[in-house]
Amino acid sequence: MEKTNRKIGIMGGTFDPIHIGHLILGEAAYEQFGLDEVWFLPAGNPPHKRNRAGQAKDAQRVEMVRRAIASNPHFVLCTKEMEDEGYTYSYRTLEAMRKEHPGTEFYFIIGADSLFYFDEWKNPERICAAAKILVATRDQAKEKELLACMERNAKKLHGTFLKLDTPNLDVSSHELREWIREGKSVKYYLPDSVISYIQEQKIYQD
């Protein structure tokens, strides 16, 4: 029987590829908020990222996440969005999780860059009803602006927005893909198991 009153972090993203920043974010959320687990949720087919030419296939993105989190007992791979047909939306995924796991409290992890247009997401108030929002600082987002935006969204969307304290690692999957194409080293930016998989599969080479 599933334990009730669990606290689960949801770390969504295209993970194309998953990198050290994602893993540090997940671990920071686990520690700061006393979570039981952090679920890594590779995005299925988000409408804002429709053109994925020259990037990893779904199965490859899933495998990279699997390899990246393998050594951490409280990190879990969740392929729920891979099973859905059509465009995937965060509010639908979170509502389905709530239904499947009653008694579980969900914490949806987003970056500061996402916070500033969070109210433009599809049904953001339903995301807030399904989970607490953990906001990680990124790209030198000014603390004052960040906190003001969190407060605005909390009032407007009737949600709980909490600041996730993390080191500011200014690294992006887009930049890492470019480095791989250019033959630059990505060591320490990606787990070794992910680097070897990218090399085996010749991902991002074209």
Side-chain angles (χ1 to χ4, degrees):
M1 189 172 164
E2 185 176 282
K3 176 189 167 188
T4 56
N5 302 318
R6 290 193 311 163
K7 295 166 72 174
I8 302 294
I10 301 294
M11 182 82 182
T14 47
F15 300 127
D16 195 16
I18 186 168
H19 56 67
I20 204 77
H22 297 130
L23 301 172
I24 289 171
L25 206 55
E27 188 69 5
Y30 173 80
E31 286 285 330
Q32 187 179 333
F33 293 94
L35 305 180
D36 291 289
E37 292 175 340
V38 177
W39 295 358
F40 283 73
L41 178 75
N45 188 16
H48 62 292
K49 294 190 177 180
R50 292 171 185 170
N51 301 313
R52 300 187 49 75
Q55 298 175 28
K57 296 172 185 170
D58 288 355
Q60 291 173 326
R61 292 189 294 115
V62 168
E63 184 58 26
M64 286 189 281
V65 173
R66 191 192 313 278
R67 290 182 178 220
I69 68 174
S71 64
N72 192 324
H74 50 259
F75 281 179
V76 176
L77 171 63
C78 177
T79 57
K80 184 162 189 58
E81 290 201 344
M82 292 292 142
E83 298 152 12
D84 293 340
E85 292 183 10
Y87 292 131
T88 53
Y89 293 101
S90 297
Y91 80 92
R92 283 184 190 157
T93 303
L94 289 165
E95 286 178 348
M97 286 177 170
R98 280 284 296 271
K99 204 170 181 179
E100 289 165 18
H101 305 278
T104 295
E105 193 172 22
F106 288 103
Y107 292 74
F108 189 57
I109 303 164
I110 65 171
D113 49 347
S114 296
L115 173 74
F116 292 112
Y117 62 90
F118 183 78
D119 61 347
E120 297 173 19
W121 287 27
K122 184 82 169 174
N123 294 328
E125 70 289 344
R126 288 171 67 173
I127 297 174
C128 290
K132 292 180 178 177
I133 313 299
L134 302 188
V135 183
T137 53
R138 185 179 170 188
D139 300 334
Q140 289 83 37
K142 291 177 183 172
E143 179 111 353
K144 199 172 174 183
E145 286 177 23
L146 184 77
L147 294 174
C149 188
M150 285 169 65
E151 194 176 331
R152 275 197 310 276
N153 277 338
K155 284 179 182 173
K156 181 179 178 181
L157 304 170
H158 310 290
T160 301
F161 287 76
L162 303 166
K163 184 169 169 285
L164 174 54
D165 300 316
T166 57
N168 187 26
L169 293 171
D170 200 5
V171 55
S172 72
S173 294
H174 172 77
E175 190 173 27
L176 292 171
R177 290 195 301 270
E178 290 302 311
W179 288 5
I180 292 166
R181 285 192 185 100
E182 292 165 12
K184 292 181 182 176
S185 171
V186 289
K187 193 166 180 63
Y188 306 119
Y189 288 92
L190 304 178
D192 287 345
S193 58
V194 173
I195 293 174
S196 61
Y197 181 72
I198 288 169
Q199 290 169 343
E200 286 165 22
Q201 296 283 308
K202 297 182 169 56
I203 310 171
Y204 316 124
Q205 302 297 316
D206 50 353

